[in-house]
């Protein structure tokens, strides 16, 4: 019998040590270290080509690193010999890829049911439909969204449907890759509010890749900055603003950074977690 992992027993949900990712002669990560605390929303930022998505894929086992180690709740995927234990660990996270990444030939409800069918193949259809309907409501979609296909949805609805599928298994860890990209400002702000609300309500640990400064201010407890093939800084936004690294200063103190900071200050700080 595989050991049942209790996420609440871990102060550090994800620990990355000495990560190296190399593609031919191109080195994306070189000796990258990062810790994600349990219960926090960690934003991950960096310039184009810094390997934000590659880092996420390395953590969830879709990318095999050249070197280094990734632990999730004290377990390293590539060293788990027991298949049941490996499945149990993977079941504890949900992933929303860029653009939602829904299966176009499946309805929203059927998309949500995909991970349920994979991990719980004996669930009957009535229960699957009930769970899918609950997840649809959880992310703020109307009930009639369930039987619709992705092509019938707006961009914002597709994002929410992708989030519903990521939450299908009631994960402890949620990975979001550019969740507000392509949304209008109002839609992006509402999505930010939804992420924060779900994280607080469900006690989620969130690994959030974004370039959206408004999202960083509205949702994130800490921010990790990728540059020079590694994490050059991690902390709260005020802590990052106190650093002298040129990229960090350009990013947070540029025109868009100042605008996001002013807007955040005008609307008040994010609620205490």
């Amino acid at each position: 019998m595989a050991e049942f992992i209790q996420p609440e027993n871990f102060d550090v949900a994800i620990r990355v040590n000495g990560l190296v990712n190399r593609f031919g002669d191109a080195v994306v990560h070189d000796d990258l270290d990062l810790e994600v605390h349990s219960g926090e929303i960690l934003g991950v930022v960096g310039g184009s080509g810094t390997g934000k998505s590659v880092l996420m894929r390395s953590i969830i086992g879709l990318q095999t690193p050249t070197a280094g180690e990734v632990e999730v709740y004290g377990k390293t995927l590539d060293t788990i010999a027991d298949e049941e234990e490996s499945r149990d660990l993977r079941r504890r996270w949900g992933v929303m890829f860029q653009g939602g990444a829904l299966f176009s030939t499946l309805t929203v409800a059927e998309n949500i049911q995909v991970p349920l069918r994979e991990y719980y193949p004996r669930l009957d259809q009535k229960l699957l439909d009930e769970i899918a309907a609950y997840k649809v409501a959880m992310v703020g979609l109307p009930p009639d969204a369930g039987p619709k296909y992705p092509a019938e949805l707006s961009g914002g609805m597709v994002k929410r449907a992708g989030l519903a599928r990521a939450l299908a298994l009631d994960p402890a860890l949620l990975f979001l890759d550019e969740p507000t990209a392509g949304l209008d400002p109002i839609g992006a702000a509402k999505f930010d509010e939804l992420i924060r609300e779900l994280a607080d309500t469900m006690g989620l640990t969130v690994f959030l890749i974004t370039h959206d400064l408004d999202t960083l201010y509205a949702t994130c407890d800490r921010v990790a900055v990728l540059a020079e093939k590694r994490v050059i800084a991690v902390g709260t936004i005020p802590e990052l603003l106190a650093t002298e690294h040129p990229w960090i200063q350009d990013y947070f103190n540029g025109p868009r950074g100042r605008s996001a900071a002013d807007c955040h200050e005008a609307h008040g700080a994010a609620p205490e977690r």
Side-chain angles (χ1 to χ4, degrees), residues 148-167:
K148 291 183 178 179
Y149 290 91
E152 301 176 276
L153 305 177
S154 67
M157 294 176 75
V158 168
K159 298 272 191 179
R160 289 176 183 257
L163 179 59
R165 186 178 62 185
L167 294 171

Side-chain angles (χ1 to χ4, degrees), residues 49-128:
T50 53
K52 299 180 293 295
S53 295
V54 174
L55 174 58
M56 184 188 82
R57 291 170 64 88
S58 298
I59 294 170
I60 63 177
L62 294 180
Q63 164 70 29
T64 302
T66 307
E69 185 175 75
V70 177
E71 290 184 0
V72 179
Y73 295 125
K75 299 292 182 180
T76 305
L77 269 178
D78 58 3
T79 62
I80 297 177
D82 187 291
E83 178 61 27
E84 183 182 351
E85 188 175 356
S86 176
R87 283 175 59 84
D88 181 68
L89 181 59
R90 293 176 187 275
R91 183 175 60 82
R92 296 182 180 280
W93 63 64
V95 185
M96 178 184 163
F97 294 99
Q98 290 187 37
L102 298 175
F103 297 108
S104 61
T105 58
L106 301 180
T107 66
V108 170
E110 289 168 341
N111 267 282
I112 295 169
Q113 292 168 9
V114 167
L116 292 164
R117 292 182 185 280
E118 178 182 356
Y119 286 92
Y120 302 105
R122 296 182 182 179
L123 290 180
D124 63 50
Q125 189 59 49
K126 181 180 178 181
L127 183 54
L128 287 170

